[in-house]
Amino acid sequence: MLPRMQCDIVCGCGDAIDSLIAPMQDENELFASRNTLAGVELSLLAIAQTLENFPPALHARLAWIDWNGWQSLRHLLEHDIQPRREEVWYGVRSLMPATIHLIDQLRRVEPVWFEIGY
């Protein structure tokens, strides 16, 4: 049940990011909006922290995730290291969509990871 909850957190944060950036035309618009950027960074951090706590077996099943990229982004966000524009944009445009895609694939191929057991 824990892997399902963790994956739901990651996907929910991805949906929040998509909603925040949907009306934007480009990267410059995101970085010009301090409030939107703060929301995006907060969601990216939540994803990175959640991924950090995935069980080893789930981590192994999702071997194609850029774990180093997430770890680096988490470090930048947790320690408020600037500049980080390129890393945040990479998180929005590459890390997050690829990670959610891989989780969705796993959900289809190995649904047992996502069952709710009581």
Side-chain angles (χ1 to χ4, degrees), residues 48-108:
Q49 290 172 335
T50 302
L51 291 172
E52 183 74 20
N53 291 297
F54 269 23
L58 184 56
H59 190 282
R61 292 282 194 282
L62 293 166
W64 291 103
I65 287 177
D66 182 357
W67 296 103
N68 291 329
W70 279 112
Q71 184 178 27
S72 176
L73 183 57
R74 181 182 54 79
H75 177 76
L76 292 173
L77 294 171
E78 283 180 345
H79 299 286
D80 197 24
I81 297 171
Q82 297 287 347
R84 60 179 178 235
R85 180 181 174 131
E86 288 180 24
E87 292 85 352
V88 168
W89 190 242
Y90 175 66
V92 168
R93 285 296 182 206
S94 296
L95 282 176
M96 186 266 301
T99 299
I100 290 173
H101 174 73
L102 291 168
I103 289 171
D104 287 343
Q105 279 186 320
L106 182 65
R107 193 180 305 256
R108 283 190 301 277

Side-chain angles (χ1 to χ4, degrees), residues 13-64:
C13 288
D15 290 343
I17 291 170
D18 286 341
S19 294
L20 286 168
I21 65 170
M24 300 192 163
Q25 301 298 319
D26 60 19
E27 172 183 0
N28 292 328
E29 198 170 343
L30 170 62
F31 290 96
S33 174
R34 288 180 22 198
N35 289 336
T36 302
L37 180 59
V40 166
E41 287 183 343
L42 191 62
S43 291
L44 287 171
L45 180 58
I47 292 171
Q49 290 172 335
T50 302
L51 291 172
E52 183 74 20
N53 291 297
F54 269 23
L58 184 56
H59 190 282
R61 292 282 194 282
L62 293 166
W64 291 103

Side-chain angles (χ1 to χ4, degrees), residues 106-118:
L106 182 65
R107 193 180 305 256
R108 283 190 301 277
V109 174
E110 297 185 50
V112 70
W113 283 101
F114 303 93
E115 291 176 358
I116 296 178
Y118 293 99

